Amino acid sequence: MSSAPVPEATKHSSSHDREIVDAKVIVTCPGRNFVTLKIVTRSGVIGLGDATLNGRELAVASYLQDHVVPNLIGRDAGRIEDMWQFFYRGAYWRRGPVTMTAIAAVDVALWDILGKMAGLPIYQLLGGRSREGALVYGHANGRDISETSDVVGQFKEQGFLAIRAQCGVPGVKKAYGISTAGKPYEPAESELPAETVWSTPRYLEIVPQLFERLRADHGPEVELLHDVHHRLTPIEAARLARSVEPYRLFWLEDATPAENQKSFELIRQHSVTPLAVGEVFNSIWDCKHLIENQLIDYIRTTIVHGGGITHLRRLADFAALHQVRTGFHGATDLSPVCMGAALHFDTWVPNFGIQEYMFHSDETNEVFPHDYEFRAGRLHCGESAGHGVTIDEKLAARYPYSPKQLPIARLEDGAMWDW
Ligand code: GCO
Ligand code: MG
């Protein structure tokens, strides 16, 4: 009598097979620094989690190496929720970017392992497909309005349906989001923070002109986004949000720093421009007031900096109650491992809005082979089990860590400002 094939999940069903026997932190710099956590079970299943915190990579690597890895060995990789609670609730010093990035790395690696044990992509484990692909936005930037408009045109030609636009500010030497001629935009360029100078009046003058021109050149259909990068006070942010209303932005991002969540009330009172915030948040507590008072439209906190899939799922469900949608951070300083996991989440989450998509370099893509792909304005996660992103460790070892920090900003009189 021939026996029925053993389902993939049954093969790893004992906690003995699922025991974590190895965990390793991999730091590599294929063009930029990335930190990756690799977890291995007794039955040989490998899970990967991104642990990259731009400019603070080694702090997370050390948190993982010194405080997390010793606690992983011997535990059951299948107890994802309990592991999350162990590292969050079980830590007296909880929250903060370093801790939550480390927890995210563990969490994503465990979801990857669960997917591989079950023979299913993560989006299936979450509840299945809600959409055919994740709408993404690319980054167009130029030294002036004309150049930015040309670059927006180039993104449209590549099939992008949504485009973030940033342009140089006359009189400001290194405005946020503008690349050095011929190179892709990369802010963490030097070992110690580069000092940039900021002028709010000059900026507030040019942004409405930029979007007036973009609508004139590119018509009403393309979705346009803009990132203020925390540079404005609440009342200045309200003025900007109101002045770009005629150009129907998809969103205005990080219009003012959000430590004081109530400050968004002021912007809301004056404008109907949709607001996005949260790439620097680490937990639901950073956006609780913003969400329950419907002060924002999109929450940007993503997997790697927000405690992983387990916490983000909770955050997204809470946001859904208030009609707030997701718009995950997806800059190049988040590794393809984060992007892979985020795309499974995006494919499932009912209240999805958009996903940021900056292109990783060829070197990065070679170190992190993956099965997601861009087609007609959307990113599509693959069908392989887990999150579909692997690491070529031999190649990774050829790119040693290179210390780099993000810039800082000062006002024209020399006073420190938000970068
Ligand atoms: C974005 C972000 C990035 C950040 C970067 C910091 O919206 O893409 O603001 O450009 O500056 O991720 O590490
Ligand atoms: Mg941003």
Side-chain angles (χ1 to χ4, degrees), residues 1 12 53 106 108 110 131-132 169 172 181 189 204 227 244 261 276 281 295 308 314 346-347 353 356 367 386:
M1 201 176 82
H12 310 278
L53 187 60
V106 174
V108 169
L110 297 185
R131 58 190 52 77
E132 291 314 315
V169 179
V172 169
E189 279 178 327
L204 286 178
D227 190 351
V244 294
Q261 297 179 36
F281 295 173
L295 300 179
R314 219 148 263 153
D346 294 339
T347 299
E356 181 178 15
V367 168

Side-chain angles (χ1 to χ4, degrees), residues 137 164 176 227-230 253-254 279 300 329 356:
Y137 69 92
R164 180 185 106 157
Y176 162 77
D227 190 351
V228 181
H229 221 262
H230 309 109
E253 176 185 339
D254 289 341
E279 67 182 42
R300 301 231 334 110
H329 189 197
E356 181 178 15

